Amino acid sequence: MDFALASEPVGPVEPVPGAAGEQLYLRRTVSTAAKLLVVGHFAVGKTTFVGSLSEIRPLRTEETMTQAGAGVDDLAGIEGKTTTTVAMDFGRLTLSDSLVLYLFGAPGQQRFTRLWQDMTQGALGALVLADTRRLEQSFDVMGLLEELGLPYGVAVNHFDGAPVHPEEEIREALDLLPETPLVTCDARDRVSSTRALIALVEYLQRRTAREHA
């Protein structure tokens, strides 16, 4: 599969900390970088998703939630959550000797949406994570992507005990266009997350092919 939908020049090769503390270098043969966003409402699993795919220790900006946010962030059904992303998550995935993928996870709360304008610059598209317990909270996220003109696919993240609905019911509930990809995934599982990412990339490839036909 050709993932090279668009390219940006890759800067100087720099060491980055690996998961075990070693230095993981970007391959010197890499000449193309692709950027995708991982978005979704509060506590939908974006940090977990990026972490399951990244070949390096992900850059995370999680902070402990305080009482000040109790009236702002909806913790219904996720009472055990104690941290939240306040800027972004960042991960890297080398796809070939010449191509590297950068994943940017955006915070889900509305008060952070101003960050999105900068994060969408140069992005090929976005994967929206959704939760069947709180599908209505995905509308603001998808609306912002549409406002910014960024194509997206939807991955329903599986949570233990969450209701399971047929795909057509979820598609109708989210008011998705027929061509918008809709898949299910487990953000904790690398293989499952990869499949969701592939569904998005295939969709972006089809869009690119149509635009250049």
Side-chain angles (χ1 to χ4, degrees), residues 6 16 21 35 38-39 71 87 91 93 97 103 106 122 131 149 153 170 192 207:
V16 293
K35 176 183 179 182
V38 179
V39 300
L93 183 62
D97 288 340
L103 296 173
D131 180 351
I170 297 176
S192 180
R207 283 178 55 97

Side-chain angles (χ1 to χ4, degrees), residues 6 10 24 35 59 63 70 78 81 115 131 145 155 192 200 203-204 206:
V10 176
L24 295 180
K35 176 183 179 182
L59 169 65
E63 295 292 341
I78 51 171
K81 185 172 177 60
L115 295 173
D131 180 351
L145 291 174
S192 180
L200 171 64
Y203 168 61
L204 296 176
R206 292 193 296 270

Side-chain angles (χ1 to χ4, degrees), residues 17-52:
E22 74 278 11
Q23 296 296 316
L24 295 180
Y25 290 82
L26 192 64
R27 297 177 185 175
R28 295 188 178 277
T29 56
V30 170
S31 58
T32 304
K35 176 183 179 182
L36 293 176
L37 303 187
V38 179
V39 300
H41 58 71
F42 173 63
V44 77
K46 301 177 294 293
T47 297
T48 301
F49 186 93
V50 172
S52 72

Side-chain angles (χ1 to χ4, degrees), residues 32-113:
T32 304
K35 176 183 179 182
L36 293 176
L37 303 187
V38 179
V39 300
H41 58 71
F42 173 63
V44 77
K46 301 177 294 293
T47 297
T48 301
F49 186 93
V50 172
S52 72
L53 286 172
S54 181
E55 65 194 11
I56 61 173
R57 181 184 296 129
L59 169 65
R60 293 172 174 168
T61 56
E62 285 197 308
E63 295 292 341
T64 300
M65 298 177 63
T66 65
Q67 188 62 33
V72 179
D73 299 324
D74 183 6
L75 293 176
I78 51 171
E79 290 80 2
K81 185 172 177 60
T82 59
T83 62
T84 185
T85 299
V86 296
M88 68 174 183
D89 299 307
F90 172 78
R92 190 189 78 195
L93 183 62
T94 300
L95 301 177
S96 70
D97 288 340
S98 61
L99 177 63
V100 66
L101 176 65
Y102 294 122
L103 296 173
F104 289 79
Q109 297 96 313
Q110 286 191 346
R111 62 184 180 275
F112 294 122
T113 54

